[in-house]
Amino acid sequence: MLDPRGPISAGNRTILLNSLAVMLVIVIPTLVALLAFAWMFRATNRRARYDPEFTYSGRIELIVWSIPTLTILFLGGLIYYGSYRLDPRRPIESGQRPLEIQVVALDWKWLFLYPDQGVGTVNQLVIPAGVPVHFKLTSSSVMNTFFVPQLGSMVYVMNGMQTELHLQADREGDYFGLSAHFSGDGFSDMNFRVRAVSPEEFARWASSLHGGGGVLNARAYGELARQSINAPPASFGVVQDGLFDAVVRQTLPPGPGPAATAGGEPQVSPRAEPKAGMQAPAQQAQPKAGG
């Protein structure tokens, strides 16, 4: 987050540093005053003024109330900036048309669909540098979060709901993406690689998938949605139209998620042995790596 590679992440860093500065403006003088008062009014200081009848001081009241008032004003400005300028739904100002990407959080992997290109990937996200990206996100089962720290805001995704996010990579490079919300046994391996390439290279990459990737239709999605851990990157050269909308509308059934046991405890691990009366979630082979 302290090494941003896009306009949204740069704004996030600005909020972080400004918030730190506001807190230090309060904390540092408070600590200095604490030490100063402790030294000034120590028991051995005979010159310290002792006034047990003190009840009110206008100057002290002014200081006590002005500090939190200024703090609220500064934080209010930061909140305004964060709420409006960095709203995840707010498009990034650019002369280029945004790239549309649809994201589905699976157990425990990420599915990326490129509706304009007609291709899809698992656990790898390729975007053109310098071009805004409009994400539409949902989850196939439990609540999750989509986060690329060097590109910008973290956003939550839920089954049956659609979230939007706008990001942009200002320069080419590889970036780390992850799930930042615990969602079961495979959560720690629910990471993905983000490759920001030139627009020309992105066009060549998308075209190359048409000849070498698999087919992602409703049946293949059902197999992919089953729980699996540390899924390798994979690609699909053909994606069924309307697949993402079918996931959001739950036309395609949600993933199993952590099943509840007889005692009410979640069965979060596909490797765990179920209790009496429970069936272990089925394991499924991963799609062939490619792309």
Side-chain angles (χ1 to χ4, degrees):
M1 294 179 63
L2 297 179
D3 185 24
R5 288 294 183 266
I8 303 301
S9 56
N12 290 338
R13 183 182 65 173
T14 298
I15 290 180
L16 178 63
L17 296 180
N18 287 345
S19 300
L20 177 62
V22 170
M23 290 185 288
L24 290 179
V25 167
I26 301 171
V27 171
I28 292 178
T30 301
L31 294 178
V32 172
L34 176 64
L35 296 176
F37 275 88
W39 174 258
M40 183 180 301
F41 294 101
R42 65 190 186 278
T44 57
N45 185 10
R46 301 301 180 183
R47 294 180 298 175
R49 180 183 176 185
Y50 177 67
D51 187 4
E53 304 299 327
F54 172 82
T55 57
Y56 175 81
S57 171
R59 293 181 179 179
I60 294 179
E61 290 289 332
L62 178 63
I63 295 174
V64 168
W65 286 103
S66 62
I67 293 177
T69 300
L70 292 175
T71 302
I72 292 173
L73 292 176
F74 280 119
L75 292 178
L78 295 177
I79 292 172
Y80 173 84
Y81 179 85
S83 299
Y84 293 94
R85 297 292 300 176
L86 298 179
D87 184 354
R89 292 179 176 269
R90 180 188 177 98
I92 298 175
E93 298 179 359
S94 175
Q96 302 192 57
R97 179 173 175 267
L99 171 66
E100 298 289 334
I101 297 181
Q102 299 165 339
V103 183
V104 181
L106 304 170
D107 292 333
W108 287 277
K109 47 196 170 288
W110 293 95
L111 172 63
F112 301 102
L113 306 176
Y114 298 75
D116 294 337
Q117 289 73 27
V119 299
T121 59
V122 174
N123 282 350
Q124 58 177 338
L125 176 62
V126 181
I127 59 175
V131 177
V133 181
H134 177 211
F135 293 96
K136 293 181 179 179
L137 309 98
T138 190
S139 173
S140 70
S141 60
V142 298
M143 179 185 294
N144 223 306
T145 55
F146 175 87
F147 190 27
V148 184
Q150 286 187 284
L151 297 187
S153 304
M154 176 179 66
V155 65
Y156 276 83
V157 295
M158 297 178 63
N159 181 249
M161 300 182 66
Q162 175 183 296
T163 307
E164 295 186 38
L165 176 66
H166 290 82
L167 297 177
Q168 177 179 310
D170 287 337
R171 65 184 72 174
E172 299 178 22
D174 288 357
Y175 308 109
F176 179 71
L178 71 156
S179 164
H181 184 92
F182 179 75
S183 58
D185 189 62
F187 155 76
S188 59
D189 295 314
M190 197 173 170
N191 308 319
F192 59 94
R193 175 191 179 195
V194 182
R195 290 177 52 212
V197 299
S198 65
E200 296 77 17
E201 184 176 350
F202 173 79
R204 291 192 298 269
W205 169 82
S207 298
S208 68
L209 293 187
H210 291 294
V215 176
L216 181 62
N217 50 26
R219 180 177 179 179
Y221 172 81
E223 301 292 333
L224 182 65
R226 295 191 177 187
Q227 292 181 342
S228 59
I229 298 177
N230 202 17
S235 60
F236 301 94
V238 178
V239 177
Q240 176 182 319
D241 292 337
L243 187 66
F244 178 80
D245 293 333
V247 175
V248 175
R249 295 194 304 265
Q250 297 183 336
T251 303
L252 292 174
T261 64
E265 296 296 329
Q267 190 80 19
V268 298
S269 171
R271 298 193 300 261
E273 295 184 1
K275 296 182 180 180
M278 296 298 298
Q279 293 183 355
Q283 289 296 295
Q284 182 64 31
Q286 296 300 312
K288 294 182 178 180

